[in-house]
Amino acid sequence: MTPNEDRKIREKFQQKTWNEIKTNDSWAIFKIMAEFVEGFERLSKIGPCVSIFGSARTKEDQAYYKLAENIAYELTKSGYGVVTGGGPGIMEAGNRGANRGKGTSVGLNIELPFEQHDNPYIDSDKSLDFDYFFVRKVMFVKYSQGFVVMPGGFGTMDELFEAITLIQTKKIGKFPIILVGTKFWSGLFDWIKNTLLEEGNISPKDLDLISLVDTEDEVLEVIDTFYKKYSLSPNF
């Protein structure tokens, strides 16, 4: 455990004075508010976009990186914008494909002690930095009309289940959630179906919120079908 990690744990057990609460906790509200305001102001004009989630650890020479890049490229060539977490790996691939397709390329970067840094394929006026994960996730779901989820780790799972929960509880519209890579995701999906559903913790119709695919063409088919159902059109 690093000294900083140790400090964060010990701080939770320290009794704070009222002045310390006002100075530290209360002032944090204004920083949170500032992140929300900037996010709302800068993202409200980007138009219909699809979020691409996935691992920051995926390398440029790996198959999923190239697949994510191709998906983003095809999305932008079809008129959709692309939103990613703004960092390396799958996020970089998504912005790279959007940049190659000359479409909207948004990056919502998070300040982390490792892994995360801006990638160079984000539109210069559409790169935002966040300190709070929950503010960043609000921006993902508020300004996305579809979610493409590539293989990833805990962060990707967090974003995936955030989107599923908000759709399931009708807090946002029933936008497509597309898991790319059936080999990677089938174990999780089977667990959802055979454990969560069997235990009665979800409804059978909740399974319909998720699509499993393997190619960029399948991703576009799911997204286009959604738009045609509501007689909508992307950013042409």
Side-chain angles (χ1 to χ4, degrees):
M1 183 178 294
T2 66
N4 188 48
E5 291 171 330
D6 183 72
R7 176 184 59 79
K8 289 181 178 180
I9 292 173
R10 294 183 182 280
E11 282 180 351
K12 295 299 181 180
F13 291 88
Q14 293 175 358
Q15 185 66 37
K16 294 181 180 179
T17 66
W18 176 240
N19 286 333
E20 287 174 324
I21 293 173
K22 288 194 297 182
T23 302
N24 299 318
D25 295 1
S26 298
W27 276 104
I29 295 172
F30 295 100
K31 184 175 182 181
I32 292 167
M33 187 184 302
E35 290 197 356
F36 273 119
V37 170
E38 183 181 15
F40 291 160
E41 288 184 346
R42 294 181 60 186
L43 296 178
S44 60
K45 302 175 183 179
I46 62 174
C49 286
V50 175
S51 282
I52 297 180
F53 302 141
S55 176
R57 304 183 186 192
T58 303
K59 304 301 181 185
E60 185 177 355
D61 59 354
Q62 292 181 286
Y64 284 126
Y65 182 103
K66 193 62 180 177
L67 180 56
E69 181 183 345
N70 288 340
I71 289 170
Y73 173 79
E74 294 297 338
L75 284 170
T76 52
K77 295 303 288 184
S78 296
Y80 306 99
V82 169
V83 180
T84 81
I90 292 296
M91 296 174 282
E92 177 184 288
N95 289 125
R96 187 174 188 171
N99 183 273
R100 180 159 62 94
K102 303 187 185 308
T104 299
S105 181
V106 181
L108 308 181
N109 198 47
I110 186 76
E111 296 178 13
L112 297 175
F114 60 92
E115 289 183 356
Q116 189 78 5
H117 57 78
D118 287 344
N119 71 68
Y121 302 104
I122 306 167
D123 294 343
S124 59
D125 61 335
K126 296 180 179 66
S127 177
L128 286 83
D129 294 316
F130 296 91
D131 189 40
Y132 297 95
F133 266 111
F134 68 91
V135 179
R136 181 179 182 240
K137 287 195 292 183
V138 168
M139 301 306 154
F140 271 125
V141 297
K142 184 174 178 62
Y143 295 105
S144 296
Q145 288 76 48
F147 305 94
V148 175
V149 189
M150 304 296 296
F154 291 143
T156 302
M157 300 294 174
D158 180 39
E159 292 156 347
L160 166 62
F161 284 106
E162 174 87 3
I164 293 175
T165 300
L166 291 172
I167 291 173
Q168 181 205 44
T169 56
K170 304 187 188 317
K171 292 296 184 180
I172 63 173
K174 192 179 177 181
F175 296 114
I177 297 175
I178 308 167
L179 305 184
V180 181
T182 53
K183 181 179 178 181
F184 182 90
W185 292 111
S186 59
L188 176 64
F189 190 78
D190 288 343
W191 177 77
I192 292 173
K193 180 171 60 177
N194 298 326
T195 301
L196 295 187
L197 182 59
E198 287 296 320
E199 291 287 337
N201 294 324
I202 62 171
S203 302
K205 64 180 181 180
D206 291 333
L207 298 177
D208 298 333
L209 300 176
I210 305 169
S211 300
L212 269 71
V213 306
D214 283 304
T215 68
E216 55 263 41
D217 290 340
E218 290 174 303
V219 171
L220 262 294
E221 182 179 358
V222 174
I223 297 291
D224 285 340
T225 298
F226 165 78
Y227 270 81
K228 289 175 182 176
K229 178 180 178 181
Y230 292 97
S231 300
L232 299 171
S233 60
N235 296 339
F236 283 118

